[in-house]
Amino acid sequence: MRKSHWFSAAATLGGLSLGLAAAPASAGCLTGAAVGGVAGHMAHHHALVGAAAGCVVGHGMAARKKRETADQKAAERRQAQQPQPAPTRGRPGG
């Protein structure tokens, strides 16, 4: 293995260990960085650039998913709080 590959691997592992320490604040970043790093490596050995871009994209996707889930739960709560119509006796309209 060339020296640059060892450096890249060490930098990646170091970055991942720092990322695990701040896991709650970095939702989606680690997954995005892993995917971006692999894609960047395949695109002419730009793994670090790919990992950085993947982290940004992954974090954005996680934030959007969290926001959509919160909106859906709020809509369900609003719907549950609305009064339900009373059941009618007999035939309707008669």
Side-chain angles (χ1 to χ4, degrees):
M1 203 176 222
R2 293 190 317 213
K3 187 182 269 189
S4 64
H5 286 220
W6 282 107
F7 178 74
S8 179
T12 302
L13 288 176
L16 287 176
S17 67
L18 288 175
L20 290 176
S26 63
C29 181
L30 294 178
T31 305
V35 172
V38 170
H41 177 70
M42 295 300 167
H44 305 290
H45 303 285
H46 294 296
L48 296 178
V49 174
C55 178
V56 170
V57 171
H59 183 70
M61 290 175 70
R64 180 176 36 184
K65 184 176 181 180
K66 183 178 178 182
R67 187 170 46 248
E68 288 173 354
T69 303
D71 290 346
Q72 184 180 12
K73 286 182 181 181
E76 289 171 359
R77 270 189 261 120
R78 281 193 303 269
Q79 186 178 16
Q81 290 176 351
Q82 289 180 348
Q84 300 296 325
T88 58
R89 294 186 137 187
R91 293 186 308 177

